[in-house]
Amino acid sequence: RDDRGWHDMFKHHSLRDYVNSDGALRITGIIQNLPYVQPPPEPSKPLFPDLDFSMEGKMLSFCLAEGPPLFFDQRLLMARSEYFQKMLTSDEWRESRKGEVDFTGDPHVTKQIMQTILHFILSDSFEVGSVEFNLEVRKFADRFCLKSLVEKVDAAMKEMLSEDNVLQILAEMHGTDSVLEASCWTMLESDCSILGRNEDLLDTLIAEKPTLARKLIVLGRKKRPRQS
């Protein structure tokens, strides 16, 4: 007889003690000391699925307002960014003909910001900085068609969002239809007193971003309690 121990399961009770009113047999047990099997790791997606290794490697230089130029492999830029793909495959672009991108006239493009962009292209990682720094990185990530970097910055900024910086962030996010912009509006709609505590910034927005300023003024009027 192939004895697997089943006859010991009911040795102290009759079988009817385990059958419910519907005629179903219910057995509860615990299995112990089974060997642990490590689940296989999920395969990682390649960062450069469109990288053409048959192309000869060429460097693209980024000339900055301050400091020496930065150099980066054109093939990696094209594999990760539609913006650079179009730029570096057409002679209509000055950058393609000269092999350099000239940022010398833009002091906002710092070495730190460009290195952050290039590190992301290599590693798909982003190190969070100050609100001002993150907004600048996002601006260029959007310009360079680096959608995943934009999403990472937005996620980080959403965690940093507060009453003290919501207007500053909204000023840069207005019109992007992003999750971050929506979070800014949600915070302001839930507490319009934030507008009153940031009147100086509102004056700046009226001068520099009048469309956004009008929306904020209308929001404040709607949420203002009616006087009896």
Side-chain angles (χ1 to χ4, degrees):
R1 186 165 65 114
D2 187 11
D3 188 351
R4 300 299 179 90
W6 299 107
H7 65 283
D8 292 330
M9 295 181 64
F10 308 105
K11 62 182 180 180
H12 298 302
H13 304 277
S14 63
L15 185 61
R16 64 173 176 269
D17 293 333
Y18 297 91
V19 179
N20 62 17
S21 59
D22 297 326
L25 177 64
R26 293 185 177 182
I27 302 175
T28 302
I30 299 175
I31 302 176
Q32 297 178 333
N33 299 323
L34 288 177
Y36 175 73
V37 178
Q38 179 72 33
E42 296 184 2
S44 58
K45 296 181 180 179
L47 289 179
F48 306 98
D50 300 322
L51 181 59
D52 185 358
F53 288 99
S54 66
M55 288 181 59
E56 181 182 357
K58 294 181 180 180
M59 288 293 177
L60 181 69
S61 62
F62 295 89
C63 301
L64 308 177
E66 295 184 5
L70 306 180
F71 298 90
F72 204 81
D73 193 317
Q74 294 188 18
R75 297 172 302 176
L76 303 184
L77 291 168
M78 290 189 290
R80 291 275 274 164
S81 165
E82 182 182 351
Y83 176 88
F84 287 110
Q85 171 71 26
K86 291 180 179 179
M87 172 194 288
L88 299 173
T89 55
S90 173
D91 289 337
E92 295 180 1
W93 289 67
R94 172 187 173 277
E95 292 82 356
S96 178
R97 297 192 305 270
K98 297 193 65 174
E100 70 174 29
V101 179
D102 186 5
F103 286 129
T104 55
D106 189 347
H108 294 97
V109 188
T110 64
K111 177 182 178 181
Q112 185 182 10
I113 286 174
M114 277 309 305
Q115 286 191 155
T116 298
I117 298 286
L118 299 178
H119 275 302
F120 172 80
I121 290 175
L122 281 175
S123 64
D124 206 43
S125 62
F126 165 65
E127 185 173 349
V128 179
S130 66
V131 170
E132 294 78 10
F133 176 77
N134 295 340
L135 290 173
E136 287 296 324
V137 170
R138 189 195 190 280
K139 183 188 303 180
F140 287 99
D142 184 53
R143 174 176 172 179
F144 296 153
C145 300
L146 296 170
K147 181 180 177 182
S148 55
L149 178 53
V150 170
E151 292 172 349
K152 287 180 182 292
V153 176
D154 282 359
M157 293 291 287
K158 187 176 178 180
E159 294 297 321
M160 299 172 68
L161 193 62
S162 70
E163 294 182 2
D164 294 330
N165 61 32
V166 60
L167 289 181
Q168 177 188 4
I169 295 174
L170 181 59
E172 298 298 327
M173 293 297 101
H174 181 235
T176 61
D177 293 326
S178 62
V179 173
L180 182 55
E181 180 185 3
S183 298
C184 291
W185 285 113
T186 299
M187 178 176 286
L188 291 172
E189 288 170 357
S190 65
D191 184 7
C192 275
S193 64
I194 296 174
L195 299 176
R197 294 194 293 272
N198 291 273
E199 290 184 355
D200 292 343
L201 184 52
L202 277 176
D203 290 339
T204 301
L205 291 177
I206 290 173
E208 298 180 357
K209 298 181 182 291
T211 301
L212 172 58
R214 281 195 294 269
K215 290 183 179 180
L216 292 171
I217 292 171
V218 170
L219 175 63
R221 289 174 177 172
K222 285 182 179 179
K223 295 292 183 177
R224 185 182 302 167
R226 295 182 179 179
Q227 297 180 352
S228 55

